[in-house]
Amino acid sequence: MRVLGVDPGLTRCGVGVVDGVAGRPLTMLGVGVVRTPADAELGQRLVAVEQGIERWLDEHRPECVAVERVFSQHNVRTVMGTAQASAVAMLCAARRGIPVALHTPSEVKAAVTGSGRADKAQVGAMITRLLRLDAPPKPADAADALALAICHIWRAPAQNRLQQAVALHTAQATASKGRTA
Amino acid sequence: MRVLGVDPGLTRCGVGVVDGVAGRPLTMLGVGVVRTPADAELGQRLVAVEQGIERWLDEHRPECVAVERVFSQHNVRTVMGTAQASAVAMLCAARRGIPVALHTPSEVKAAVTGSGRADKAQVGAMITRLLRLDAPPKPADAADALALAICHIWRAPAQNRLQQAVALHTAQATASKGRTA
């Protein structure tokens, strides 16, 4: 499975592509940052984020896009930009029919380090080890994007089984309703 | 000046087009709501908002898009959807090179009713009068979109004068710096 991880942001939007399946060594296919100038108009910055994400989708053709789930309890000013950048990333993927998955920061940290409260250095160290890199990817947004992609590759099998179970249950419930009606 | 007002939302995104200039009677060219199903996936909902906004831009070719400025002190769940829908509206406009203006809810209320704390009924009543309609536009999101467009038509001349003054001041400061350097 090839996954594009996106750590959304207006000033720096981390992007990283990882290929692999749970239980096997993973491969990094690319990592980078989509930047937009802080003094540009908001609409123009969103267009720049869209163009950046589109380039990554064109080049790597991921099967899934994993985006960090944004919460609004954080810094008020930052969170709006993060929500808007994440909307653009989700839009780009959904427009192409690519499934979008959202993972919280603590799910991502727990997936790659074993602890939902790990710090940036710990996440960077694990990314370096898991992807067999020479040094931690920089900036931190780029490392976080790779962590999101890895988190999704590892969590996806369990999530898919859960979704299939729910779908099966719903189908059975509908069928039994049909019989009693 | 022809302005598309957008009251952003994922479930209901109000849209309204108003033509006119400050100090002259205004004309409503269209009003409506872009809806997306609450049970659809977030990415799909953003695609539906994009398609809806694109249709309004295609049909009415506005010279400016006025979007409600989103604050995050409101309901946490709602505000994320609002921020994401507003990002899509701004993206659609900026991609076409159409200027985007943001106005706060109290600026909009103050513009059309004279009070920044006016209620929905008061805004609806004034929209009805200013656009010479038979009844207040429904739902409230549609009326709010028209109010945004009117607010922008009335505020734009002052904003433009302010921007020109700032630009002139900056140019003069740069020029005098150049002389003393």
Side-chain angles (χ1 to χ4, degrees), chain A residues 41-44 46-47 50 70-73 76-77 79-80 83-88 90-91 94-95 97 100 102, chain B residues 41-44 46-47 50 70-73 76 79-80 83-88 90-91 94-95 97 100 102:
Chain A
E41 288 196 359
L42 183 50
Q44 293 305 326
L46 296 171
V47 171
E50 181 186 42
V70 185
F71 289 107
S72 64
Q73 61 260 46
V76 166
R77 280 191 74 86
V79 83
M80 301 310 287
Q84 288 163 335
S86 80
V88 173
M90 288 187 276
L91 177 69
R95 216 159 42 188
V100 176
L102 300 173
Chain B
E41 288 195 0
L42 183 50
Q44 294 305 326
L46 295 171
V47 172
E50 181 185 43
V70 184
F71 289 107
S72 65
Q73 62 261 46
V76 167
V79 84
M80 299 311 286
Q84 288 163 336
S86 79
V88 173
M90 287 187 276
L91 177 69
R95 217 159 39 190
V100 176
L102 300 173

mmCIF file of all heavy atoms in Angstrom, chain A residues 41-44 46-47 50 70-73 76-77 79-80 83-88 90-91 94-95 97 100 102, chain B residues 41-44 46-47 50 70-73 76 79-80 83-88 90-91 94-95 97 100 102:
data_model
loop_
_atom_site.group_PDB
_atom_site.id
_atom_site.type_symbol
_atom_site.label_atom_id
_atom_site.label_comp_id
_atom_site.label_asym_id
_atom_site.label_seq_id
_atom_site.Cartn_x
_atom_site.Cartn_y
_atom_site.Cartn_z
ATOM 1 N N GLU A 41 -1.899 36.644 0.267
ATOM 2 C CA GLU A 41 -3.308 36.604 0.656
ATOM 3 C C GLU A 41 -3.730 35.160 0.893
ATOM 4 O O GLU A 41 -3.229 34.241 0.234
ATOM 5 C CB GLU A 41 -4.164 37.226 -0.453
ATOM 6 C CG GLU A 41 -3.974 38.729 -0.494
ATOM 7 C CD GLU A 41 -5.061 39.432 -1.278
ATOM 8 O OE1 GLU A 41 -5.950 38.725 -1.802
ATOM 9 O OE2 GLU A 41 -5.023 40.655 -1.352
ATOM 10 N N LEU A 42 -4.685 34.986 1.815
ATOM 11 C CA LEU A 42 -5.113 33.641 2.218
ATOM 12 C C LEU A 42 -5.539 32.782 1.024
ATOM 13 O O LEU A 42 -5.130 31.623 0.892
ATOM 14 C CB LEU A 42 -6.244 33.767 3.252
ATOM 15 C CG LEU A 42 -6.781 32.480 3.857
ATOM 16 C CD1 LEU A 42 -5.657 31.584 4.376
ATOM 17 C CD2 LEU A 42 -7.751 32.798 4.987
ATOM 18 N N GLY A 43 -6.332 33.374 0.126
ATOM 19 C CA GLY A 43 -6.787 32.623 -1.050
ATOM 20 C C GLY A 43 -5.616 32.128 -1.888
ATOM 21 O O GLY A 43 -5.587 30.979 -2.330
ATOM 22 N N GLN A 44 -4.613 32.994 -2.076
ATOM 23 C CA GLN A 44 -3.422 32.635 -2.860
ATOM 24 C C GLN A 44 -2.627 31.533 -2.179
ATOM 25 O O GLN A 44 -2.070 30.645 -2.833
ATOM 26 C CB GLN A 44 -2.519 33.859 -3.063
ATOM 27 C CG GLN A 44 -3.140 34.945 -3.938
ATOM 28 C CD GLN A 44 -3.596 34.419 -5.291
ATOM 29 O OE1 GLN A 44 -2.989 33.529 -5.859
ATOM 30 N NE2 GLN A 44 -4.714 34.928 -5.779
ATOM 31 N N LEU A 46 -3.882 29.204 -0.256
ATOM 32 C CA LEU A 46 -4.623 27.949 -0.427
ATOM 33 C C LEU A 46 -4.407 27.388 -1.833
ATOM 34 O O LEU A 46 -4.299 26.170 -2.019
ATOM 35 C CB LEU A 46 -6.117 28.169 -0.136
ATOM 36 C CG LEU A 46 -6.423 28.564 1.313
ATOM 37 C CD1 LEU A 46 -7.879 28.979 1.470
ATOM 38 C CD2 LEU A 46 -6.104 27.415 2.260
ATOM 39 N N VAL A 47 -4.336 28.271 -2.827
ATOM 40 C CA VAL A 47 -4.052 27.835 -4.202
ATOM 41 C C VAL A 47 -2.654 27.198 -4.256
ATOM 42 O O VAL A 47 -2.466 26.158 -4.901
ATOM 43 C CB VAL A 47 -4.155 29.014 -5.194
ATOM 44 C CG1 VAL A 47 -3.657 28.614 -6.572
ATOM 45 C CG2 VAL A 47 -5.603 29.515 -5.284
ATOM 46 N N GLU A 50 -2.803 23.785 -2.775
ATOM 47 C CA GLU A 50 -3.449 22.878 -3.736
ATOM 48 C C GLU A 50 -2.463 22.432 -4.822
ATOM 49 O O GLU A 50 -2.356 21.250 -5.132
ATOM 50 C CB GLU A 50 -4.655 23.573 -4.387
ATOM 51 C CG GLU A 50 -5.381 22.676 -5.384
ATOM 52 C CD GLU A 50 -6.489 23.396 -6.137
ATOM 53 O OE1 GLU A 50 -6.284 24.555 -6.554
ATOM 54 O OE2 GLU A 50 -7.560 22.797 -6.296
ATOM 55 N N VAL A 70 -7.372 17.603 12.782
ATOM 56 C CA VAL A 70 -7.136 18.897 13.439
ATOM 57 C C VAL A 70 -8.115 19.099 14.586
ATOM 58 O O VAL A 70 -9.308 18.841 14.444
ATOM 59 C CB VAL A 70 -7.309 20.057 12.428
ATOM 60 C CG1 VAL A 70 -6.945 21.387 13.067
ATOM 61 C CG2 VAL A 70 -6.474 19.816 11.185
ATOM 62 N N PHE A 71 -7.605 19.536 15.710
ATOM 63 C CA PHE A 71 -8.458 19.879 16.847
ATOM 64 C C PHE A 71 -8.417 21.377 17.052
ATOM 65 O O PHE A 71 -7.432 22.012 16.702
ATOM 66 C CB PHE A 71 -7.964 19.187 18.117
ATOM 67 C CG PHE A 71 -8.209 17.717 18.087
ATOM 68 C CD1 PHE A 71 -7.161 16.846 17.897
ATOM 69 C CD2 PHE A 71 -9.489 17.220 18.209
ATOM 70 C CE1 PHE A 71 -7.381 15.481 17.846
ATOM 71 C CE2 PHE A 71 -9.714 15.862 18.148
ATOM 72 C CZ PHE A 71 -8.666 14.984 17.966
ATOM 73 N N SER A 72 -9.457 21.918 17.647
ATOM 74 C CA SER A 72 -9.450 23.377 17.788
ATOM 75 C C SER A 72 -9.146 23.819 19.212
ATOM 76 O O SER A 72 -9.307 24.977 19.533
ATOM 77 C CB SER A 72 -10.754 23.971 17.284
ATOM 78 O OG SER A 72 -11.808 23.535 18.049
ATOM 79 N N GLN A 73 -8.690 22.904 20.078
ATOM 80 C CA GLN A 73 -8.334 23.371 21.426
ATOM 81 C C GLN A 73 -6.955 24.030 21.463
ATOM 82 O O GLN A 73 -6.571 24.598 22.464
ATOM 83 C CB GLN A 73 -8.430 22.256 22.489
ATOM 84 C CG GLN A 73 -7.527 21.077 22.279
ATOM 85 C CD GLN A 73 -8.299 19.934 21.656
ATOM 86 O OE1 GLN A 73 -9.051 20.151 20.711
ATOM 87 N NE2 GLN A 73 -8.135 18.747 22.158
ATOM 88 N N VAL A 76 -5.538 29.420 18.682
ATOM 89 C CA VAL A 76 -6.677 29.835 17.863
ATOM 90 C C VAL A 76 -6.270 30.261 16.445
ATOM 91 O O VAL A 76 -6.879 29.857 15.464
ATOM 92 C CB VAL A 76 -7.449 30.976 18.574
ATOM 93 C CG1 VAL A 76 -8.416 31.661 17.626
ATOM 94 C CG2 VAL A 76 -8.206 30.431 19.770
ATOM 95 N N ARG A 77 -5.211 31.062 16.345
ATOM 96 C CA ARG A 77 -4.816 31.571 15.022
ATOM 97 C C ARG A 77 -4.282 30.450 14.138
ATOM 98 O O ARG A 77 -4.603 30.355 12.962
ATOM 99 C CB ARG A 77 -3.725 32.646 15.161
ATOM 100 C CG ARG A 77 -4.271 34.011 15.530
ATOM 101 C CD ARG A 77 -3.172 35.073 15.392
ATOM 102 N NE ARG A 77 -2.902 35.366 13.989
ATOM 103 C CZ ARG A 77 -3.577 36.262 13.281
ATOM 104 N NH1 ARG A 77 -4.550 36.934 13.833
ATOM 105 N NH2 ARG A 77 -3.268 36.478 12.019
ATOM 106 N N VAL A 79 -4.789 27.186 14.347
ATOM 107 C CA VAL A 79 -5.710 26.095 14.047
ATOM 108 C C VAL A 79 -6.571 26.377 12.822
ATOM 109 O O VAL A 79 -6.905 25.469 12.072
ATOM 110 C CB VAL A 79 -6.567 25.731 15.282
ATOM 111 C CG1 VAL A 79 -7.757 26.635 15.411
ATOM 112 C CG2 VAL A 79 -6.973 24.283 15.236
ATOM 113 N N MET A 80 -6.902 27.639 12.584
ATOM 114 C CA MET A 80 -7.728 27.949 11.422
ATOM 115 C C MET A 80 -6.941 27.673 10.135
ATOM 116 O O MET A 80 -7.456 27.078 9.195
ATOM 117 C CB MET A 80 -8.184 29.413 11.447
ATOM 118 C CG MET A 80 -8.986 29.787 12.669
ATOM 119 S SD MET A 80 -10.341 28.649 13.003
ATOM 120 C CE MET A 80 -11.445 29.115 11.697
ATOM 121 N N ALA A 83 -6.710 23.935 9.697
ATOM 122 C CA ALA A 83 -7.980 23.375 9.223
ATOM 123 C C ALA A 83 -8.168 23.661 7.734
ATOM 124 O O ALA A 83 -8.620 22.805 6.967
ATOM 125 C CB ALA A 83 -9.146 23.961 10.021
ATOM 126 N N GLN A 84 -7.783 24.870 7.313
ATOM 127 C CA GLN A 84 -7.972 25.258 5.912
ATOM 128 C C GLN A 84 -7.014 24.494 5.000
ATOM 129 O O GLN A 84 -7.411 24.007 3.947
ATOM 130 C CB GLN A 84 -7.831 26.775 5.777
ATOM 131 C CG GLN A 84 -9.051 27.475 6.400
ATOM 132 C CD GLN A 84 -8.844 28.936 6.680
ATOM 133 O OE1 GLN A 84 -7.735 29.403 6.870
ATOM 134 N NE2 GLN A 84 -9.948 29.674 6.736
ATOM 135 N N ALA A 85 -5.751 24.332 5.427
ATOM 136 C CA ALA A 85 -4.795 23.557 4.626
ATOM 137 C C ALA A 85 -5.226 22.088 4.554
ATOM 138 O O ALA A 85 -5.120 21.455 3.500
ATOM 139 C CB ALA A 85 -3.388 23.674 5.219
ATOM 140 N N SER A 86 -5.738 21.555 5.671
ATOM 141 C CA SER A 86 -6.170 20.147 5.662
ATOM 142 C C SER A 86 -7.377 19.963 4.745
ATOM 143 O O SER A 86 -7.504 18.943 4.062
ATOM 144 C CB SER A 86 -6.473 19.643 7.074
ATOM 145 O OG SER A 86 -7.743 20.068 7.496
ATOM 146 N N ALA A 87 -8.252 20.982 4.689
ATOM 147 C CA ALA A 87 -9.412 20.912 3.791
ATOM 148 C C ALA A 87 -8.945 20.802 2.343
ATOM 149 O O ALA A 87 -9.489 20.019 1.554
ATOM 150 C CB ALA A 87 -10.305 22.143 3.972
ATOM 151 N N VAL A 88 -7.917 21.574 1.982
ATOM 152 C CA VAL A 88 -7.410 21.551 0.612
ATOM 153 C C VAL A 88 -6.807 20.173 0.294
ATOM 154 O O VAL A 88 -7.062 19.604 -0.770
ATOM 155 C CB VAL A 88 -6.370 22.676 0.396
ATOM 156 C CG1 VAL A 88 -5.714 22.562 -0.966
ATOM 157 C CG2 VAL A 88 -7.040 24.041 0.537
ATOM 158 N N MET A 90 -7.546 17.254 1.695
ATOM 159 C CA MET A 90 -8.647 16.270 1.600
ATOM 160 C C MET A 90 -9.406 16.432 0.291
ATOM 161 O O MET A 90 -9.792 15.458 -0.355
ATOM 162 C CB MET A 90 -9.605 16.432 2.784
ATOM 163 C CG MET A 90 -9.017 15.947 4.094
ATOM 164 S SD MET A 90 -10.247 15.953 5.429
ATOM 165 C CE MET A 90 -10.138 17.641 5.950
ATOM 166 N N LEU A 91 -9.620 17.702 -0.104
ATOM 167 C CA LEU A 91 -10.329 17.995 -1.353
ATOM 168 C C LEU A 91 -9.568 17.419 -2.549
ATOM 169 O O LEU A 91 -10.163 16.759 -3.414
ATOM 170 C CB LEU A 91 -10.479 19.511 -1.501
ATOM 171 C CG LEU A 91 -11.125 20.016 -2.787
ATOM 172 C CD1 LEU A 91 -12.600 19.660 -2.818
ATOM 173 C CD2 LEU A 91 -10.955 21.532 -2.918
ATOM 174 N N ALA A 94 -9.952 13.550 -2.473
ATOM 175 C CA ALA A 94 -11.323 13.077 -2.710
ATOM 176 C C ALA A 94 -11.757 13.333 -4.150
ATOM 177 O O ALA A 94 -12.487 12.538 -4.746
ATOM 178 C CB ALA A 94 -12.288 13.756 -1.736
ATOM 179 N N ARG A 95 -11.283 14.431 -4.736
ATOM 180 C CA ARG A 95 -11.609 14.779 -6.114
ATOM 181 C C ARG A 95 -11.109 13.715 -7.075
ATOM 182 O O ARG A 95 -11.656 13.501 -8.142
ATOM 183 C CB ARG A 95 -10.926 16.109 -6.426
ATOM 184 C CG ARG A 95 -11.670 17.025 -7.316
ATOM 185 C CD ARG A 95 -11.204 18.435 -7.159
ATOM 186 N NE ARG A 95 -9.756 18.608 -7.059
ATOM 187 C CZ ARG A 95 -9.182 19.783 -6.757
ATOM 188 N NH1 ARG A 95 -9.927 20.846 -6.543
ATOM 189 N NH2 ARG A 95 -7.886 19.872 -6.665
ATOM 190 N N GLY A 97 -10.882 10.559 -6.162
ATOM 191 C CA GLY A 97 -11.409 9.274 -5.711
ATOM 192 C C GLY A 97 -10.445 8.511 -4.819
ATOM 193 O O GLY A 97 -10.614 7.318 -4.583
ATOM 194 N N VAL A 100 -9.473 9.099 1.932
ATOM 195 C CA VAL A 100 -8.794 9.968 2.896
ATOM 196 C C VAL A 100 -8.979 9.387 4.289
ATOM 197 O O VAL A 100 -10.099 9.028 4.664
ATOM 198 C CB VAL A 100 -9.404 11.394 2.874
ATOM 199 C CG1 VAL A 100 -8.760 12.266 3.949
ATOM 200 C CG2 VAL A 100 -9.237 12.031 1.501
ATOM 201 N N LEU A 102 -8.104 10.025 8.491
ATOM 202 C CA LEU A 102 -7.650 11.021 9.462
ATOM 203 C C LEU A 102 -7.116 10.302 10.699
ATOM 204 O O LEU A 102 -7.735 9.346 11.172
ATOM 205 C CB LEU A 102 -8.819 11.943 9.853
ATOM 206 C CG LEU A 102 -9.447 12.738 8.702
ATOM 207 C CD1 LEU A 102 -10.698 13.478 9.187
ATOM 208 C CD2 LEU A 102 -8.447 13.739 8.129
ATOM 209 N N GLU B 41 -18.599 11.198 3.651
ATOM 210 C CA GLU B 41 -17.240 11.381 4.156
ATOM 211 C C GLU B 41 -16.813 12.831 3.948
ATOM 212 O O GLU B 41 -17.235 13.486 2.987
ATOM 213 C CB GLU B 41 -16.280 10.448 3.428
ATOM 214 C CG GLU B 41 -16.482 9.015 3.850
ATOM 215 C CD GLU B 41 -15.339 8.124 3.436
ATOM 216 O OE1 GLU B 41 -14.385 8.633 2.818
ATOM 217 O OE2 GLU B 41 -15.400 6.925 3.743
ATOM 218 N N LEU B 42 -15.953 13.320 4.848
ATOM 219 C CA LEU B 42 -15.551 14.726 4.835
ATOM 220 C C LEU B 42 -14.971 15.152 3.483
ATOM 221 O O LEU B 42 -15.341 16.205 2.943
ATOM 222 C CB LEU B 42 -14.538 14.969 5.966
ATOM 223 C CG LEU B 42 -14.030 16.391 6.173
ATOM 224 C CD1 LEU B 42 -15.175 17.383 6.245
ATOM 225 C CD2 LEU B 42 -13.198 16.459 7.449
ATOM 226 N N GLY B 43 -14.101 14.316 2.915
ATOM 227 C CA GLY B 43 -13.502 14.641 1.616
ATOM 228 C C GLY B 43 -14.567 14.829 0.545
ATOM 229 O O GLY B 43 -14.521 15.766 -0.260
ATOM 230 N N GLN B 44 -15.570 13.922 0.537
ATOM 231 C CA GLN B 44 -16.662 13.999 -0.438
ATOM 232 C C GLN B 44 -17.496 15.262 -0.241
ATOM 233 O O GLN B 44 -17.966 15.873 -1.200
ATOM 234 C CB GLN B 44 -17.573 12.764 -0.333
ATOM 235 C CG GLN B 44 -16.881 11.459 -0.721
ATOM 236 C CD GLN B 44 -16.270 11.520 -2.122
ATOM 237 O OE1 GLN B 44 -16.807 12.171 -3.018
ATOM 238 N NE2 GLN B 44 -15.122 10.881 -2.305
ATOM 239 N N LEU B 46 -16.408 18.104 0.929
ATOM 240 C CA LEU B 46 -15.628 19.251 0.436
ATOM 241 C C LEU B 46 -15.688 19.311 -1.090
ATOM 242 O O LEU B 46 -15.761 20.398 -1.670
ATOM 243 C CB LEU B 46 -14.188 19.155 0.938
ATOM 244 C CG LEU B 46 -14.028 19.265 2.464
ATOM 245 C CD1 LEU B 46 -12.606 18.946 2.901
ATOM 246 C CD2 LEU B 46 -14.432 20.659 2.952
ATOM 247 N N VAL B 47 -15.678 18.136 -1.742
ATOM 248 C CA VAL B 47 -15.805 18.098 -3.205
ATOM 249 C C VAL B 47 -17.174 18.656 -3.616
ATOM 250 O O VAL B 47 -17.283 19.423 -4.576
ATOM 251 C CB VAL B 47 -15.610 16.661 -3.741
ATOM 252 C CG1 VAL B 47 -15.943 16.587 -5.221
ATOM 253 C CG2 VAL B 47 -14.171 16.187 -3.508
ATOM 254 N N GLU B 50 -17.122 22.367 -3.333
ATOM 255 C CA GLU B 50 -16.355 22.924 -4.454
ATOM 256 C C GLU B 50 -17.221 22.970 -5.720
ATOM 257 O O GLU B 50 -17.275 23.992 -6.414
ATOM 258 C CB GLU B 50 -15.106 22.069 -4.717
ATOM 259 C CG GLU B 50 -14.264 22.615 -5.866
ATOM 260 C CD GLU B 50 -13.092 21.707 -6.214
ATOM 261 O OE1 GLU B 50 -13.281 20.472 -6.253
ATOM 262 O OE2 GLU B 50 -12.000 22.229 -6.446
ATOM 263 N N VAL B 70 -14.123 33.376 9.734
ATOM 264 C CA VAL B 70 -14.462 32.364 10.740
ATOM 265 C C VAL B 70 -13.616 32.574 11.989
ATOM 266 O O VAL B 70 -12.416 32.790 11.913
ATOM 267 C CB VAL B 70 -14.199 30.946 10.187
ATOM 268 C CG1 VAL B 70 -14.644 29.904 11.199
ATOM 269 C CG2 VAL B 70 -14.895 30.749 8.856
ATOM 270 N N PHE B 71 -14.260 32.524 13.142
ATOM 271 C CA PHE B 71 -13.537 32.593 14.417
ATOM 272 C C PHE B 71 -13.638 31.237 15.093
ATOM 273 O O PHE B 71 -14.580 30.489 14.859
ATOM 274 C CB PHE B 71 -14.156 33.660 15.332
ATOM 275 C CG PHE B 71 -13.884 35.038 14.844
ATOM 276 C CD1 PHE B 71 -14.890 35.799 14.266
ATOM 277 C CD2 PHE B 71 -12.615 35.568 14.938
ATOM 278 C CE1 PHE B 71 -14.635 37.073 13.803
ATOM 279 C CE2 PHE B 71 -12.351 36.849 14.468
ATOM 280 C CZ PHE B 71 -13.359 37.593 13.910
ATOM 281 N N SER B 72 -12.660 30.946 15.957
ATOM 282 C CA SER B 72 -12.713 29.618 16.566
ATOM 283 C C SER B 72 -13.180 29.648 18.016
ATOM 284 O O SER B 72 -13.066 28.676 18.718
ATOM 285 C CB SER B 72 -11.362 28.918 16.424
ATOM 286 O OG SER B 72 -10.391 29.602 17.145
ATOM 287 N N GLN B 73 -13.730 30.795 18.462
ATOM 288 C CA GLN B 73 -14.219 30.783 19.844
ATOM 289 C C GLN B 73 -15.612 30.134 19.954
ATOM 290 O O GLN B 73 -16.099 29.878 21.028
ATOM 291 C CB GLN B 73 -14.234 32.176 20.489
ATOM 292 C CG GLN B 73 -15.108 33.206 19.846
ATOM 293 C CD GLN B 73 -14.263 34.103 18.955
ATOM 294 O OE1 GLN B 73 -13.439 33.625 18.187
ATOM 295 N NE2 GLN B 73 -14.468 35.396 19.029
ATOM 296 N N VAL B 76 -16.798 24.125 18.919
ATOM 297 C CA VAL B 76 -15.581 23.497 18.392
ATOM 298 C C VAL B 76 -15.847 22.621 17.165
ATOM 299 O O VAL B 76 -15.118 22.684 16.184
ATOM 300 C CB VAL B 76 -14.908 22.659 19.505
ATOM 301 C CG1 VAL B 76 -13.833 21.755 18.922
ATOM 302 C CG2 VAL B 76 -14.285 23.581 20.548
ATOM 303 N N VAL B 79 -17.041 24.803 14.075
ATOM 304 C CA VAL B 79 -16.089 25.758 13.524
ATOM 305 C C VAL B 79 -15.101 25.104 12.567
ATOM 306 O O VAL B 79 -14.664 25.726 11.595
ATOM 307 C CB VAL B 79 -15.362 26.530 14.655
ATOM 308 C CG1 VAL B 79 -14.178 25.746 15.186
ATOM 309 C CG2 VAL B 79 -14.908 27.891 14.161
ATOM 310 N N MET B 80 -14.766 23.827 12.801
ATOM 311 C CA MET B 80 -13.828 23.162 11.906
ATOM 312 C C MET B 80 -14.466 22.992 10.530
ATOM 313 O O MET B 80 -13.835 23.250 9.508
ATOM 314 C CB MET B 80 -13.414 21.795 12.463
ATOM 315 C CG MET B 80 -12.716 21.868 13.811
ATOM 316 S SD MET B 80 -11.385 23.068 13.874
ATOM 317 C CE MET B 80 -10.180 22.209 12.926
ATOM 318 N N ALA B 83 -14.571 26.377 8.851
ATOM 319 C CA ALA B 83 -13.242 26.777 8.359
ATOM 320 C C ALA B 83 -12.914 26.012 7.079
ATOM 321 O O ALA B 83 -12.368 26.579 6.124
ATOM 322 C CB ALA B 83 -12.181 26.500 9.426
ATOM 323 N N GLN B 84 -13.257 24.738 7.038
ATOM 324 C CA GLN B 84 -12.940 23.918 5.866
ATOM 325 C C GLN B 84 -13.778 24.330 4.655
ATOM 326 O O GLN B 84 -13.259 24.439 3.541
ATOM 327 C CB GLN B 84 -13.097 22.439 6.224
ATOM 328 C CG GLN B 84 -11.966 21.993 7.155
ATOM 329 C CD GLN B 84 -12.233 20.701 7.885
ATOM 330 O OE1 GLN B 84 -13.383 20.307 8.076
ATOM 331 N NE2 GLN B 84 -11.169 20.022 8.298
ATOM 332 N N ALA B 85 -15.073 24.582 4.872
ATOM 333 C CA ALA B 85 -15.932 25.033 3.766
ATOM 334 C C ALA B 85 -15.468 26.404 3.266
ATOM 335 O O ALA B 85 -15.444 26.664 2.056
ATOM 336 C CB ALA B 85 -17.392 25.092 4.215
ATOM 337 N N SER B 86 -15.068 27.300 4.191
ATOM 338 C CA SER B 86 -14.612 28.632 3.766
ATOM 339 C C SER B 86 -13.312 28.519 2.974
ATOM 340 O O SER B 86 -13.098 29.271 2.021
ATOM 341 C CB SER B 86 -14.450 29.567 4.968
ATOM 342 O OG SER B 86 -13.240 29.309 5.649
ATOM 343 N N ALA B 87 -12.445 27.561 3.344
ATOM 344 C CA ALA B 87 -11.204 27.357 2.599
ATOM 345 C C ALA B 87 -11.516 26.975 1.153
ATOM 346 O O ALA B 87 -10.874 27.467 0.218
ATOM 347 C CB ALA B 87 -10.363 26.263 3.265
ATOM 348 N N VAL B 88 -12.512 26.109 0.965
ATOM 349 C CA VAL B 88 -12.868 25.667 -0.389
ATOM 350 C C VAL B 88 -13.410 26.857 -1.201
ATOM 351 O O VAL B 88 -13.033 27.052 -2.362
ATOM 352 C CB VAL B 88 -13.890 24.511 -0.336
ATOM 353 C CG1 VAL B 88 -14.388 24.166 -1.728
ATOM 354 C CG2 VAL B 88 -13.253 23.285 0.318
ATOM 355 N N MET B 90 -12.760 30.076 -0.753
ATOM 356 C CA MET B 90 -11.646 31.001 -1.053
ATOM 357 C C MET B 90 -10.754 30.431 -2.145
ATOM 358 O O MET B 90 -10.293 31.160 -3.030
ATOM 359 C CB MET B 90 -10.818 31.253 0.213
ATOM 360 C CG MET B 90 -11.538 32.137 1.216
ATOM 361 S SD MET B 90 -10.453 32.582 2.617
ATOM 362 C CE MET B 90 -10.673 31.153 3.644
ATOM 363 N N LEU B 91 -10.520 29.105 -2.074
ATOM 364 C CA LEU B 91 -9.684 28.440 -3.081
ATOM 365 C C LEU B 91 -10.298 28.582 -4.476
ATOM 366 O O LEU B 91 -9.613 28.933 -5.433
ATOM 367 C CB LEU B 91 -9.546 26.956 -2.709
ATOM 368 C CG LEU B 91 -8.772 26.082 -3.691
ATOM 369 C CD1 LEU B 91 -7.287 26.442 -3.686
ATOM 370 C CD2 LEU B 91 -8.952 24.597 -3.342
ATOM 371 N N ALA B 94 -9.849 32.275 -5.633
ATOM 372 C CA ALA B 94 -8.448 32.665 -5.861
ATOM 373 C C ALA B 94 -7.884 31.957 -7.089
ATOM 374 O O ALA B 94 -7.081 32.527 -7.820
ATOM 375 C CB ALA B 94 -7.610 32.349 -4.621
ATOM 376 N N ARG B 95 -8.321 30.710 -7.323
ATOM 377 C CA ARG B 95 -7.862 29.941 -8.479
ATOM 378 C C ARG B 95 -8.234 30.640 -9.776
ATOM 379 O O ARG B 95 -7.561 30.510 -10.788
ATOM 380 C CB ARG B 95 -8.548 28.575 -8.416
ATOM 381 C CG ARG B 95 -7.713 27.438 -8.851
ATOM 382 C CD ARG B 95 -8.209 26.119 -8.314
ATOM 383 N NE ARG B 95 -9.657 25.978 -8.294
ATOM 384 C CZ ARG B 95 -10.281 24.976 -7.681
ATOM 385 N NH1 ARG B 95 -9.601 24.057 -7.035
ATOM 386 N NH2 ARG B 95 -11.590 24.893 -7.692
ATOM 387 N N GLY B 97 -8.483 33.903 -9.968
ATOM 388 C CA GLY B 97 -7.978 35.269 -9.896
ATOM 389 C C GLY B 97 -9.014 36.263 -9.409
ATOM 390 O O GLY B 97 -8.851 37.473 -9.581
ATOM 391 N N VAL B 100 -10.733 37.907 -2.986
ATOM 392 C CA VAL B 100 -11.533 37.387 -1.874
ATOM 393 C C VAL B 100 -11.483 38.402 -0.743
ATOM 394 O O VAL B 100 -10.406 38.877 -0.381
ATOM 395 C CB VAL B 100 -10.956 36.043 -1.366
ATOM 396 C CG1 VAL B 100 -11.729 35.555 -0.154
ATOM 397 C CG2 VAL B 100 -10.962 34.998 -2.476
ATOM 398 N N LEU B 102 -12.814 39.160 3.314
ATOM 399 C CA LEU B 102 -13.400 38.535 4.505
ATOM 400 C C LEU B 102 -14.047 39.608 5.371
ATOM 401 O O LEU B 102 -13.453 40.670 5.577
ATOM 402 C CB LEU B 102 -12.300 37.809 5.301
ATOM 403 C CG LEU B 102 -11.550 36.703 4.559
ATOM 404 C CD1 LEU B 102 -10.384 36.187 5.406
ATOM 405 C CD2 LEU B 102 -12.497 35.552 4.206
#
